[in-house]
Amino acid sequence: MIKWPSILPLPKIQTYTAQDELAKLRTEVEGGPARQRREFTQAPGLYTANFVLSNDDYAYFRGFWKYAILEGANWFEIRLDTGDLLTAGEPTPQSARFVGDYSSRRLGFNYWEVEGTLEVDNPSTMDSALIVLFSIADDIFEMEELALSAETT
């Protein structure tokens, strides 16, 4: 898989949108409520990514965009913080591709701001969700044990 160039900075993630609706298939029916079913176990995540690049980095990014990932069509590996509790805010390797084109604007004389939407294939948030659920279950179990021990004393 193509890797994000190490000489380019990693993006700053401004927003994250979980696309849960992409994981469901909905069928409207004439009478009654619409029918829905899960189509995928994990939907891709969409991230709005911002890069601040020097003139040289911007030229390198444009070459990467055009020739390595074929104007955003190809998947590539990039280190992102996807909000996974297991990684404690550290960027981890993710498979991503651009959705649509990027936009850029000049920041003064030597810098460019580049913004684009990254589609991340199966962001690793499922393990975090399970950890949260298990910790809630543990808390409930401990509260029940305390209540039972208080009743018996």
Side-chain angles (χ1 to χ4, degrees):
M1 175 176 285
I2 301 163
K3 293 190 185 289
W4 181 255
S6 60
I7 67 167
L8 292 178
L10 294 176
K12 292 183 173 108
I13 302 297
Q14 287 193 335
T15 58
Y16 168 69
T17 306
Q19 293 293 305
D20 292 332
E21 66 271 7
L22 293 177
K24 291 182 256 179
L25 185 61
R26 184 177 176 91
T27 305
E28 300 293 332
V29 294
E30 285 185 30
R35 293 189 177 146
Q36 256 180 210
R37 67 178 174 86
R38 186 169 74 170
E39 190 171 22
F40 307 108
T41 55
Q42 276 196 330
L46 295 182
Y47 295 81
T48 301
N50 280 62
F51 309 86
V52 175
L53 305 172
S54 68
N55 284 338
D56 292 341
D57 288 347
Y58 183 59
Y60 195 93
F61 169 79
R62 289 178 45 197
F64 175 76
W65 166 268
K66 184 166 181 129
Y67 300 108
I69 60 172
L70 302 180
E71 297 180 344
N74 283 348
W75 290 91
F76 59 96
E77 184 179 289
I78 186 169
R79 297 179 62 78
L80 295 173
D81 177 7
T82 59
D84 189 352
L85 292 175
L86 296 176
T87 62
E90 288 296 317
T92 57
Q94 303 288 332
S95 295
R97 67 179 169 187
F98 281 90
V99 177
D101 292 335
Y102 67 89
S103 62
S104 61
R105 68 184 180 102
R106 195 165 187 99
L107 299 175
F109 183 70
N110 289 323
Y111 292 95
W112 290 83
E113 179 182 43
V114 176
E115 182 176 298
T117 301
L118 294 177
E119 176 183 8
V120 177
D121 185 34
N122 294 325
S124 55
T125 55
M126 181 60 116
D127 293 334
S128 296
L130 290 175
I131 287 171
V132 170
L133 288 176
F134 287 140
S135 69
I136 291 171
D138 285 345
D139 291 344
I140 291 170
F141 183 71
E142 286 177 23
M143 287 189 294
E144 286 176 350
E145 282 184 337
L146 286 173
L148 286 174
S149 66
E151 288 176 8
T152 57
T153 56

